[in-house]
Amino acid sequence: MTSLDECSEPIKSFRTWFLENGGELHRDIHFIRGSSGLSVRTQVDLQSDTTVVSCPFSLAITLETVREPLQFFGSLNTDVQAQLSERQRICAYISLHWIFSEVDDIKHLLRHRPYIDVLPRPETLLTPLYFSEAELNLFRGTNLYGATSDQRTTWDAEWQDLCSVVRQWNPEVANRLTRDMYLSSATYLSSRAFPSTLLSSNPSLVATPSSYPVLLPGVDSLNHARNQPVTWSVSRISRPPPISAPEGANVDHCVVLTLNTPSVAGEELFNNYGPKPNASLILGYGFALEDNPDDTIMLKVGTGAAAASDEKFTRSEFEIGRDVQGVDALWSEVRARIATSYGVTKPYSNAEVEESWEEEDIRLIMETADTLSGMVTSLLHRLPSLAETTEEVQSLTIRESVRTMWGYYVRGQADILEALLAWLDKKDQEAVRKAQEAGIDIQVEDDDED
């Protein structure tokens, strides 16, 4: 049985190219082309621990892969390439496939054309840089709105810097390397890349300071499912690829993806990108998960004059997850800053859990809770209201997938902030109770008073 998608010329060309160059695909899986690119399904029931795809190191898009093409087409020698970031070099290599045709590629250096031809078209991408103005405005008042602006600024600056470098050596290529090309390439890299640590004898999905993003054709076709049990391994390829691999590439090994649970015929097969909050999934991949257990929100703590002059107060951002994970560090920091502003020199210890608290501790706890509660309440008020904006959203020309992402993301942010607010209220109430037990006179403001 063959999927209709398998009969399309781009997918047929990709499969042929992949297999002829050392890649391996399970004989009973096939590709489906959707609005967001390829997905993979099985035509038969698969047992646990079935290997579904393997990609030779020589087919990965790495810094070694792009070195010769950038020198030939862009006139960038190794020293010049070293002035560019890893992302700039890989994005430039991808863009060269659009700048030069197969006829122009007389040395066959642009080896990944069949792979790039099956990547999702730019107009179908669902990351925020490809949102319409109405779609992006849905996220006003959220951290993601600002993160999108930061990403656009960063990638625009990278593109301009890349063109400036290339223009010194090959003005024609620089003039043809458009902003849209760079943004599409950078989006492919953010949504499909794996850390280069995967290309080692001990493969790991954990990035390190020295690792960088690489692309693995075939392997990156599997979409993400949280907690999907998979195994990454490296093995020797059964036959050497006929193409000439870049200098230094280890052509004797490949990255192997094995699914550790059974699959039913017709099911989509999934990879596991690891635990990621919806903010990261939307910004980097263009989708979100409902009730994502890995959701977080970034809280920024302003630095007052007293804290700014104290070297120990160097942290200003805190990531808070569901069930208020990460709250202890936030609480300790804000409590210590307030203590410093009041000239309290007693170091912070877990005084809140001691049987007898001093009045100073109680007042400090209550003010910390009040300060953080004010910040959290402000953030909650800034979030878009799902209930109030539903009718407005329905009336706008907004893609259903974006509307779904928005709902999942905003609900998750609100859930975390509401849980944090409840935690802070519990802290405050505990301090009041301790004060009453100790006979300490604490003036408690009535929230119902004007």
Side-chain angles (χ1 to χ4, degrees):
M1 182 177 72
T2 303
S3 162
L4 290 177
D5 295 278
E6 288 281 332
C7 295
S8 69
E9 282 305 317
I11 294 181
K12 285 171 60 178
S13 297
F14 168 72
R15 180 183 277 271
T16 299
W17 169 82
F18 186 70
L19 295 176
E20 286 182 350
N21 290 288
E24 294 187 355
L25 295 168
H26 190 283
R27 65 180 182 276
D28 292 314
I29 70 171
H30 62 277
F31 295 104
I32 297 290
R33 186 163 195 168
S35 59
S36 58
L38 295 183
S39 61
V40 178
R41 294 184 182 273
T42 176
Q43 301 176 87
V44 300
D45 293 347
L46 297 179
Q47 297 179 347
S48 301
D49 302 323
T50 296
T51 294
V52 292
V53 60
S54 66
C55 176
F57 286 11
S58 59
L59 270 190
I61 298 182
T62 67
L63 295 182
E64 290 72 27
T65 304
V66 308
R67 184 179 295 117
E68 187 176 359
L70 291 183
Q71 183 159 352
F72 181 80
F73 289 102
S75 305
L76 307 179
N77 62 35
T78 303
D79 291 338
V80 174
Q81 290 183 37
Q83 300 174 25
L84 303 170
S85 69
E86 292 93 345
R87 181 162 56 217
Q88 286 175 309
R89 280 178 270 179
I90 290 178
C91 287
Y93 172 73
I94 294 173
S95 299
L96 289 175
H97 290 77
W98 298 318
I99 295 173
F100 295 98
S101 68
E102 286 187 84
V103 175
D104 299 324
D105 188 15
I106 57 175
K107 295 184 68 174
H108 305 292
L109 295 176
L110 303 177
R111 303 185 296 120
H112 290 85
R113 197 177 302 275
Y115 165 65
I116 292 171
D117 285 347
V118 297
L119 295 178
R121 296 180 297 277
E123 63 270 18
T124 67
L125 293 171
L126 290 170
T127 48
L129 290 188
Y130 289 88
F131 287 177
S132 67
E133 183 178 0
E135 289 170 342
L136 185 57
N137 282 337
L138 284 178
F139 293 84
R140 279 189 177 275
T142 71
N143 289 346
L144 187 62
Y145 187 86
T148 301
S149 176
D150 292 343
Q151 186 183 73
R152 179 183 289 109
T153 299
T154 298
W155 288 3
D156 279 350
E158 289 178 357
W159 166 67
Q160 293 170 359
D161 177 61
L162 172 63
C163 289
S164 177
V165 172
V166 174
R167 187 168 288 111
Q168 298 176 46
W169 305 94
N170 194 322
E172 181 184 355
V173 170
N175 291 336
R176 295 172 66 183
L177 203 166
T178 67
R179 175 181 181 272
D180 286 344
M181 288 180 182
Y182 190 85
L183 293 187
S184 296
S185 301
T187 300
Y188 295 146
L189 199 57
S190 76
S191 63
R192 314 181 75 85
F194 299 88
S196 56
T197 48
L198 204 55
L199 303 178
S200 69
S201 56
N202 295 305
S204 170
L205 286 173
V206 179
T208 67
S210 61
S211 66
Y212 63 92
V214 299
L215 291 169
L216 299 174
V219 174
D220 64 5
S221 298
L222 278 74
N223 291 319
H224 170 67
R226 186 181 181 274
N227 285 339
Q228 171 68 37
V230 301
T231 297
W232 293 93
S233 59
V234 168
S235 67
R236 289 186 174 275
I237 56 176
S238 57
R239 53 191 173 90
I243 59 173
S244 57
E247 182 180 355
N250 188 345
V251 298
D252 294 325
H253 292 83
C254 60
V255 176
V256 179
L257 178 61
T258 301
L259 307 186
N260 301 136
T261 54
S263 303
V264 177
E267 278 187 344
E268 181 175 356
L269 305 180
F270 291 98
N271 188 7
N272 184 347
Y273 302 169
K276 294 183 183 297
N278 275 339
S280 297
L281 292 176
I282 295 173
L283 191 65
Y285 301 88
F287 71 92
L289 301 178
E290 186 175 12
D291 298 324
N292 186 352
D294 302 311
D295 254 342
T296 63
I297 188 169
M298 294 298 299
L299 300 184
K300 295 184 178 181
V301 177
T303 303
S309 63
D310 196 321
E311 293 182 356
K312 66 175 176 288
F313 299 121
T314 58
R315 187 174 177 186
S316 61
E317 290 189 341
F318 298 84
E319 189 171 23
I320 308 299
R322 291 186 182 272
D323 300 322
V324 294
Q325 294 178 32
V327 71
D328 289 341
L330 172 66
W331 175 268
S332 298
E333 179 77 6
V334 173
R335 185 187 188 280
R337 291 188 183 198
I338 292 174
T340 299
S341 69
Y342 286 158
V344 177
T345 58
K346 186 175 69 173
Y348 171 67
S349 62
N350 289 324
E352 294 96 314
V353 298
E354 294 176 2
E355 285 299 320
S356 59
W357 292 355
E358 298 177 7
E359 181 175 348
E360 180 183 272
D361 293 319
I362 293 173
R363 294 186 184 280
L364 196 51
I365 290 166
M366 293 179 68
E367 181 153 356
T368 302
D370 183 65
T371 299
L372 284 171
S373 294
M375 180 177 72
V376 173
T377 300
S378 176
L379 290 173
L380 268 171
H381 289 163
R382 283 172 49 198
L383 282 180
S385 170
L386 293 173
E388 294 176 3
T389 55
T390 297
E391 184 176 344
E392 179 185 357
V393 170
Q394 295 291 346
S395 67
L396 296 173
T397 307
I398 291 174
R399 290 170 289 180
E400 181 62 33
S401 52
V402 175
R403 186 182 296 117
T404 299
M405 275 189 261
W406 169 75
Y408 292 168
Y409 171 71
V410 173
R411 182 67 265 165
Q413 299 291 280
D415 286 347
I416 294 170
L417 291 174
E418 288 167 357
L420 180 54
L421 205 56
W423 185 89
L424 291 167
D425 182 65
K426 184 177 178 180
K427 276 278 192 184
D428 185 66
Q429 293 301 318
E430 176 69 5
V432 171
R433 185 179 66 82
K434 287 289 186 180
Q436 292 171 343
E437 291 176 355
I440 300 172
D441 183 22
I442 297 290
Q443 296 297 320
V444 180
E445 294 182 6
D446 189 343
D447 292 338
D448 295 329
E449 293 179 359
D450 292 334

